[in-house]
């Protein structure tokens, strides 16, 4: 891998996580908080001209909001996880076919309310170069950060990677290796309970997909799993007897919470259709956070100005 980082691809907005598929192998044995840091850092690296000299800042408030914990706890967890990342390494095969070991983070700074990290060029490459030679997987940040269990993030990434194919098959040994499970998971019951059944339940309850599996057997012995990945069906809209009343309701924000409103204003279609409402010099035109704050505020004040399509349609992307 060259030290020169290729030109970044900024076509995916900030609310998307995009990573090379190789990164899941580097995730092995990481704590869930370490994985969350990489997930939060992903769009920050992708949408910038980051190098090894560029600080990537993850704030406690971001970590708290997306992980649904209080800010004080978030900073403690964020700092502890970043310290672990300083000691983490992973191995890749270079252009000569030789194994090369590299650190995730070469320097960290702990300030009031945020952690600033400097990633190695190899990590930056994994987070911003996506092409036929570097296959990748993408998903919404809020979906993956809703997951709490140790192996849910890894299994979700695998499921999204193979979603277009309808699923994937893995031997038990390959599955254990992919997730970096401990030796105690050589027992099939331990593996299923902690690294298959529980993560699948959490993924199905909190994300955009439904995941199921069946055993692959050789005789009576389980030797692998066959996973099936399906898109969640969109909820059917039940028409009211009074069509006009129903249509009017679709252009209001009644019943929508702040998290749903944030998801709506971050929808790429919403951003494209209402970008003309802000000037380049306004706070909404300067950053994603500024856009989110301003647009949610406008929705709450007068949702009728956003009439190009039913408001709830923007939740389905």
């Amino acid at each position: 891998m060259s030290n020169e980082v290729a030109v970044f691809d900024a076509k995916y907005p900030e609310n998307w996580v995009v990573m090379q598929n190789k990164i899941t192998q580097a995730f092995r044995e990481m704590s869930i908080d370490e994985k969350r840091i990489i997930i939060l850092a992903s769009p920050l690296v992708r949408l910038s001209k980051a190098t090894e000299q560029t600080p990537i800042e993850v704030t406690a408030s971001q970590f708290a909001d997306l992980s649904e914990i209080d800010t004080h706890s978030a900073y403690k967890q964020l700092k502890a996880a970043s310290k672990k990342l300083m000691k983490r390494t992973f191995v890749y095969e270079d252009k000569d076919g030789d194994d090369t070991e590299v650190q995730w983070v070469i320097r960290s700074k702990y300030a009031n309310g945020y952690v600033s990290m400097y990633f190695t060029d190899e990590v930056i490459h994994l987070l911003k170069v996506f092409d036929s030679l570097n296959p990748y997987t993408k998903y919404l940040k809020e979906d993956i950060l809703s997951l709490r269990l140790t192996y849910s993030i890894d299994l979700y990434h695998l499921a999204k990677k193979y979603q277009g194919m309808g699923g994937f098959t893995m031997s038990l040994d390959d599955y254990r290796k992919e997730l970096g499970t401990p030796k105690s998971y050589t027992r099939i019951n331990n593996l299923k309970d902690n690294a298959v059944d529980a993560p699948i339940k959490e993924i199905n309850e909190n994300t955009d997909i439904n995941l199921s599996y069946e055993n692959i057997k050789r005789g009576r012995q389980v030797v692998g799993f066959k996973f099936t990945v399906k898109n969640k069906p969109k909820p059917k809209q039940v028409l009211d007897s009074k069509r006009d009343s129903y249509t009017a309701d679709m252009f209001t924000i009644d019943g929508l919470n702040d998290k749903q409103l944030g998801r709506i204003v971050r929808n790429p279609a919403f951003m494209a259709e209402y970008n003309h409402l802000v000037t380049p010099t306004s706070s909404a035109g300067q950053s994603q956070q500024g856009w989110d704050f301003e647009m949610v505020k406008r929705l709450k004040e007068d949702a009728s100005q956003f009439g190009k399509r039913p408001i709830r349609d923007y939740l389905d992307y």
Side-chain angles (χ1 to χ4, degrees):
M1 187 180 296
S2 168
N3 284 334
E4 184 177 349
V5 177
V7 176
F8 67 95
D9 186 342
K11 68 180 179 180
Y12 298 106
E14 187 181 357
N15 58 318
W16 285 89
V17 175
V18 190
M19 294 182 179
Q20 287 186 27
N21 292 333
K22 288 181 286 189
I23 207 166
T24 55
Q25 298 169 348
F27 264 4
R28 289 174 190 160
E29 300 181 4
M30 275 190 184
S31 69
I32 193 164
D33 283 341
E34 290 173 88
K35 293 172 186 175
R36 284 172 176 163
I37 288 178
I38 303 301
I39 290 164
L40 285 168
S42 166
L44 302 178
V45 172
R46 183 178 73 250
L47 298 173
S48 70
K49 297 180 180 179
T51 68
E52 286 188 351
Q53 286 72 49
T54 304
I56 302 299
E57 295 180 358
V58 177
T59 68
S61 60
Q62 289 173 320
F63 198 85
D65 180 48
L66 293 170
S67 304
E68 297 183 355
I69 56 179
D70 66 85
T71 305
H72 179 68
S73 297
Y75 181 70
K76 289 173 64 177
Q77 290 178 219
L78 182 61
K79 185 175 180 179
S82 67
K83 285 179 178 289
K84 289 181 181 178
L85 273 176
M86 283 288 294
K87 301 176 183 178
R88 294 283 186 194
T89 64
F90 63 95
V91 176
Y92 72 92
E93 193 175 277
D94 67 14
K95 61 182 179 181
D96 299 318
D98 298 323
D99 286 346
T100 301
E101 187 171 13
V102 63
Q103 286 180 265
W104 276 87
V105 177
I106 54 177
R107 185 165 58 257
S108 290
K109 176 182 177 181
Y110 311 107
N112 185 25
Y114 72 92
V115 170
S116 180
M117 290 160 291
Y118 297 77
F119 292 107
T120 56
D121 279 337
E122 287 87 350
V123 172
I124 292 170
H125 187 276
L126 289 170
L127 295 176
K128 62 193 294 190
V129 180
F130 316 114
D131 53 34
S132 59
L133 298 177
N134 299 282
Y136 61 96
T137 300
K138 65 183 188 299
Y139 33 75
L140 285 170
K141 186 164 56 177
E142 67 181 48
D143 280 332
I144 196 165
L145 285 171
S146 68
L147 303 174
R148 302 283 182 270
L149 300 179
T150 302
Y151 299 110
S152 293
I153 287 177
D154 307 82
L155 183 53
Y156 180 75
H157 186 101
L158 274 173
K160 295 296 286 187
K161 176 180 175 181
Y162 293 104
Q163 185 175 4
M165 300 169 62
F168 60 99
T169 299
M170 273 194 175
S171 70
L172 294 185
D173 287 342
D174 285 346
Y175 188 73
R176 292 185 184 104
K177 184 178 179 182
E178 188 73 31
L179 269 64
T181 59
K183 290 182 180 179
S184 61
Y185 286 19
T186 53
R187 295 181 59 185
I188 187 68
N189 288 344
N190 285 349
L191 180 68
K192 281 190 172 184
D193 289 347
N194 298 290
V196 184
D197 293 333
I200 284 178
K201 183 176 185 293
E202 187 178 42
I203 287 167
N204 290 346
E205 289 177 352
N206 293 281
T207 73
D208 59 326
I209 59 172
N210 280 322
L211 185 59
S212 60
Y213 79 101
E214 58 186 82
N215 296 327
I216 299 174
K217 291 186 174 181
R218 185 179 296 132
R220 298 178 62 182
Q221 183 182 7
V222 177
V223 295
F225 301 126
K226 179 181 179 181
F227 292 91
T228 300
V229 188
K230 294 182 179 180
N231 289 323
K232 271 188 181 166
K234 295 179 180 179
K236 292 181 179 179
Q237 297 173 345
V238 180
L239 292 177
D240 192 277
S241 58
K242 296 181 179 180
R243 177 73 185 185
D244 291 342
S245 175
Y246 168 79
T247 303
D249 287 345
M250 291 301 290
F251 289 90
T252 73
I253 62 168
D254 294 343
L256 296 176
N257 58 37
D258 284 350
K259 188 172 183 179
Q260 289 172 312
L261 293 177
R263 183 173 176 179
I264 285 168
V265 303
R266 287 190 295 272
N267 185 320
F270 182 97
M271 296 174 73
E273 290 170 357
Y274 299 111
N275 191 50
H276 68 281
L277 296 179
V278 302
T279 63
T281 56
S282 74
S283 60
Q286 298 297 311
S287 68
Q288 184 69 52
Q289 287 181 325
W291 170 273
D292 293 357
F293 179 84
E294 178 64 19
M295 286 302 162
V296 169
K297 180 172 177 286
R298 292 191 188 192
L299 275 171
K300 288 180 175 181
E301 289 175 349
D302 181 15
S304 65
Q305 62 184 303
F306 301 95
K308 293 191 175 182
R309 68 174 81 182
I311 296 296
R312 286 162 178 78
D313 279 8
Y314 297 107
L315 290 170
D316 299 328
Y317 76 106

